[in-house]
Amino acid sequence: MTAPTAEIEDAPAEWASVRGGIGDRIFSGAALAAGLTILAALAGVFIFLLAKGATGFTKASEVYGPHAESFLGYVWPLLVGTFTVSIIALIIAVPLAFGIALVISHYAPKWLSTPVAFVIDLLAAVPSVVYGLWGAFYLAGKLVPLHNWLHETFGSWPLLGALFGEPNAAGRSWLTVGIVLAIMILPIITAITREVFSRTPRLHEEAALALGATRWEMIRMTVFPYSRSGMVSAVMLGLGRALGETMAVAMVLSVGFGLSWNIIATSSPTSIAANIALKYKERSADLLNVLVATGLVLFLLTFLVNFAARWIIGRSERRMAR
């Protein structure tokens, strides 16, 4: 009776081991297939953009319009517009998102933090067109006094005068677009940083408090160092969203061709994505190649931003490991 009983008792362990090995192999294969599928999709997008847009780099000057004689002259103002509105959005959204995430994770009571987090997350569900309509027909008019005040206060200063020159009478400027984009990327940055902050080891926080640190000192010494890579990731994801935003920029900004650093100007260059949306309807075959070429530039720049973020995160993790 002893031998059969032992075989029966050993059978479930052997069966579980076999099942676990099969499950691991299935999961590993599925994860590998998913990763390769994503890489294949990105490679396909790149090949398509390169094949359709390669001729757009060398078109005749009349294809680029009266304000540009080459592809570089055509795309450079669009790059400036893209990065300007994105940087304005980050300057506004990042401190606000980090502050909201800290309040939700470490300061506010449970009965308050849960609904606040829910409301912030709901902002991500609002369509871009709604933000564009709100920014164009409501926010822009409300920001006209701010534009005038910035021009009257800082317009004569040596350095700030270039940023706050002659204001837009309707309020539809880079600054207005930056504020709209800041609201759009706020839920992304807030959600990620809130989750990272809440993952800080409880023992680290309690140890800092036990040594006499205040709550802010505890956050500065334990939460921020532990969450640095996640914070960088959140900011870069928000930047990616701002770089690729189309409808809100196209609807709010008063588009012009004169390149200046005035963020409240009467007219300013639009972003690459918004320019594609605005010009696509009136496209010719040659102009379509140019638009695809600008899309390829934006695609590559987005990749560079993500690679830079990955390098910063890896460097931070290596420093923490030391």
Side-chain angles (χ1 to χ4, degrees):
M1 296 293 293
T2 305
T5 303
E7 292 177 0
I8 293 174
E9 291 178 353
D10 293 340
E14 182 180 355
W15 175 77
S17 176
V18 173
R19 287 290 297 268
I22 295 175
D24 288 343
R25 288 194 294 271
I26 293 175
F27 179 79
S28 176
L32 179 61
L36 292 177
T37 301
I38 294 174
L39 292 177
L42 290 175
V45 172
F46 175 76
I47 293 172
F48 168 79
L49 292 176
L50 184 61
K52 295 292 184 179
T55 57
F57 294 101
T58 57
K59 291 294 182 181
S61 59
E62 59 269 14
V63 178
Y64 302 112
H67 304 280
E69 297 181 355
S70 64
F71 180 79
L72 181 61
Y74 181 81
V75 77
W76 175 246
L78 301 178
L79 285 174
V80 173
T82 301
F83 278 103
T84 301
V85 296
S86 300
I87 291 172
I88 293 173
L90 287 183
I91 292 174
I92 298 172
V94 169
L96 186 59
F98 287 173
I100 294 173
L102 275 179
V103 169
I104 293 174
S105 61
H106 286 82
Y107 284 94
K110 188 71 172 179
W111 62 268
L112 180 61
S113 62
T114 301
V116 169
F118 180 72
V119 171
I120 295 297
D121 291 341
L122 280 179
L123 292 175
V126 179
S128 301
V129 175
V130 175
Y131 281 114
L133 291 172
W134 173 74
F137 296 105
Y138 179 79
L139 182 63
K142 297 296 182 180
L143 290 180
V144 171
L146 176 62
H147 284 57
N148 295 330
W149 179 82
L150 289 172
H151 174 64
E152 294 171 0
T153 306
F154 303 107
S156 59
W157 289 31
L159 296 179
L160 294 180
L163 295 177
F164 305 111
E166 190 65 28
N168 189 306
R172 302 175 68 173
S173 63
W174 274 343
L175 179 61
T176 305
V177 175
I179 294 175
V180 173
L181 291 182
I183 299 174
M184 296 178 69
I185 66 177
L186 182 65
I188 300 174
I189 303 176
T190 303
I192 297 176
T193 51
R194 181 185 74 231
E195 185 67 22
V196 174
F197 289 161
S198 63
R199 297 289 182 178
T200 304
R202 186 65 179 174
L203 290 177
H204 293 184
E205 298 179 358
E206 293 176 351
L209 294 173
L211 290 174
T214 62
R215 180 174 295 185
W216 169 245
E217 289 173 338
M218 177 271 293
I219 291 173
R220 184 167 51 86
M221 292 186 297
T222 62
V223 177
F224 286 162
Y226 180 82
S227 308
R228 185 178 293 116
S229 60
M231 295 165 67
V232 174
S233 300
V235 172
M236 290 304 172
L237 283 176
L239 176 60
R241 170 71 190 276
L243 288 175
E245 180 53 42
T246 303
M247 293 309 301
V249 179
M251 298 173 70
V252 175
L253 187 62
S254 179
V255 180
F257 300 95
L259 181 58
S260 70
W261 300 107
N262 184 3
I263 64 174
I264 58 173
T266 302
S267 59
S268 303
T270 186
S271 66
I272 293 178
N275 179 71
I276 294 174
L278 292 171
K279 296 291 184 62
Y280 185 78
K281 187 176 181 180
E282 60 186 39
R283 70 194 185 280
S284 61
D286 291 336
L287 181 58
L288 179 60
N289 292 333
V290 174
L291 295 179
V292 175
T294 60
L296 177 61
V297 172
L298 181 60
F299 182 84
L300 295 176
L301 286 176
T302 306
F303 254 87
L304 291 177
V305 169
N306 283 278
F307 281 132
R310 183 64 255 178
W311 179 80
I312 295 173
I313 293 171
R315 183 179 179 184
S316 176
E317 291 175 348
R318 289 190 298 269
R319 185 177 300 174
M320 289 292 293
R322 295 174 184 175

